[in-house]
């Protein structure tokens, strides 16, 4: 398993799409911005399509897949609610994944009307329903990651039902990072322990949600962090810094 001296940076393009969708037309161009991120040093691109198409739309998924094929070293990650069904011209989440066959699919316990992802799976409840779906995706060559809280028992269950990786939900870490309180230290110890457990049982480790230039370096102290997916903070930083310098700044934190 890849060691912690380097972590892949996957740039989430949702907020670029959200800005585009605020006006008619195709400005800013999501695919063009994705290519800019790749050329600036990103290791992958992430999208989170939702049935309401508030940001990423199905055509973005297909077009970005074509873009990534032109860059063999770059990975495409599609994340979302595995049970999101077709709605209007949204074909359904699993249909999108089956059509595109990305390098990785990150399954997230979202509801259709959820503002953003804010918790991991409870696999004591969801595990057996997810198991055949995970196998179905793996059978077509897609690596499967599950969005999870830093809970050792739950991570063991992710391994048992066939997931290749987990993505630790880092929202609570980010929320309490600036406090550096005893509570934060105990919380980070949970993340560190969860990462060490993932390493010990042989399941890959990703992370994402509210990671930024201030807290990413600290989070990278967890063992064997393979990939971080960052969108909102990177897009906000790009307003002040420019997109290329923002990607480069995050990439630097991922390889130091």
């Amino acid at each position: 398993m890849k060691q912690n001296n380097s972590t892949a940076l996957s740039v989430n393009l949702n907020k670029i799409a959200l800005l585009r969708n605020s006006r008619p037309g195709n400005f800013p161009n999501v695919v063009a911005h994705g290519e800019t991120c790749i050329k600036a040093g990103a290791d992958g691109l992430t999208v989170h399509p939702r049935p309401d198409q508030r940001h990423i739309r199905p055509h973005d998924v297909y077009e970005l897949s074509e873009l990534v094929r032109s860059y063999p070293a770059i990975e495409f990650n599609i994340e979302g609610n595995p049970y999101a069904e077709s709605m209007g011209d949204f074909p359904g989440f699993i249909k999108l994944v089956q059509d595109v066959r990305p390098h990785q699919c990150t399954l997230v316990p979202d509801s259709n009307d959820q503002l953003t992802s804010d918790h991991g799976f409870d696999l004591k409840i969801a595990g057996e329903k997810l198991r055949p779906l995970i196998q179905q995706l793996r059978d077509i060559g897609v690596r499967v990651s599950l969005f999870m809280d830093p809970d050792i028992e739950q991570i063991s269950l992710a391994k048992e039902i066939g997931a290749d990786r987990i993505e630790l939900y880092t929202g609570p870490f980010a929320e309490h990072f600036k406090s550096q309180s005893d509570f934060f230290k105990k919380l980070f110890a949970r993340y560190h322990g969860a990462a060490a457990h993932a390493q010990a049982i042989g399941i890959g480790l990703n992370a994402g949600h509210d990671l930024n230039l201030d807290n990413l370096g600290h989070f990278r102290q967890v063992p064997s962090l393979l990939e971080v997916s960052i969108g909102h903070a990177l897009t906000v930083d790009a307003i002040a810094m420019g997109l290329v310098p923002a990607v480069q700044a995050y990439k630097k934190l991922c390889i130091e």
Side-chain angles (χ1 to χ4, degrees):
M1 183 176 287
K2 185 177 180 181
Q3 295 303 306
N4 200 39
N5 60 347
S6 180
T7 298
L9 171 65
S10 187
V11 177
N12 188 314
L13 297 169
N14 281 16
K15 292 302 165 64
I16 301 296
L18 182 68
L19 181 61
R20 176 204 59 196
N21 294 352
S22 67
R23 293 278 186 92
N26 189 33
F27 182 75
N29 184 304
V30 173
V31 176
H33 279 69
E35 187 162 31
T36 297
C37 292
I38 292 170
K39 291 180 177 180
D43 302 291
L45 301 176
T46 290
V47 293
H48 188 143
R50 288 182 165 92
D52 63 10
Q53 301 187 52
R54 74 184 82 150
H55 35 60
I56 289 294
R57 293 172 174 167
H59 71 83
D60 296 317
V61 177
Y62 296 116
E63 292 169 10
L64 287 166
S65 177
E66 289 297 319
L67 170 68
V68 170
R69 287 193 181 95
S70 302
Y71 294 89
I74 301 301
E75 289 200 348
F76 191 31
N77 172 49
I78 302 177
E79 62 181 28
N81 172 14
Y83 307 115
E85 298 179 349
S86 61
M87 182 183 298
D89 60 358
F90 181 80
F93 180 79
I94 293 300
K95 177 66 163 60
L96 272 176
V97 176
Q98 290 172 329
D99 286 349
V100 169
R101 300 193 179 192
H103 301 86
Q104 179 172 269
C105 177
T106 302
L107 303 180
V108 181
D110 274 351
S111 61
N112 285 349
D113 59 353
Q114 195 162 328
L115 179 63
T116 186
S117 307
D118 61 8
H119 63 281
F121 279 106
D122 180 350
L123 296 179
K124 292 179 181 179
I125 297 172
E128 289 310 307
K129 187 177 180 182
L130 283 170
R131 186 193 294 268
L133 187 54
I134 292 170
Q135 188 59 53
Q136 177 184 345
L137 294 174
R138 294 184 70 188
D139 285 346
I140 62 172
V142 177
R143 183 173 72 233
V144 180
S145 180
L146 298 181
F147 198 65
M148 302 293 295
D149 299 312
D151 182 304
I152 287 174
E153 183 181 11
Q154 290 283 342
I155 292 169
S156 292
L157 290 174
K159 174 73 173 179
E160 287 179 19
I161 65 172
D164 301 289
R165 294 189 185 184
I166 60 167
E167 178 178 328
L168 285 178
Y169 167 52
T170 51
F173 161 83
E175 179 183 356
H176 296 283
F177 172 74
K178 287 187 178 180
S179 73
Q180 293 296 308
S181 62
D182 288 342
F183 175 82
F184 169 76
K185 292 173 184 176
K186 291 177 182 178
L187 177 64
F188 185 63
R190 283 187 62 204
Y191 280 97
H192 198 284
H197 181 68
Q199 181 183 39
I201 67 174
I203 191 168
L205 180 70
N206 299 339
H209 206 87
D210 292 337
L211 295 174
N212 58 39
L213 290 175
D214 294 328
N215 62 35
L216 176 58
H218 190 98
F219 193 82
R220 284 198 65 244
Q221 295 178 53
V222 305
S224 296
L225 181 60
L226 298 176
E227 175 187 295
V228 290
S229 175
I230 303 178
H232 181 82
L234 192 152
T235 305
V236 172
D237 288 327
I239 294 172
M241 302 171 64
L243 182 57
V244 169
V247 172
Q248 291 172 340
Y250 280 90
K251 179 66 175 178
K252 182 179 179 181
L253 288 175
C254 286
I255 62 177
E256 285 182 339

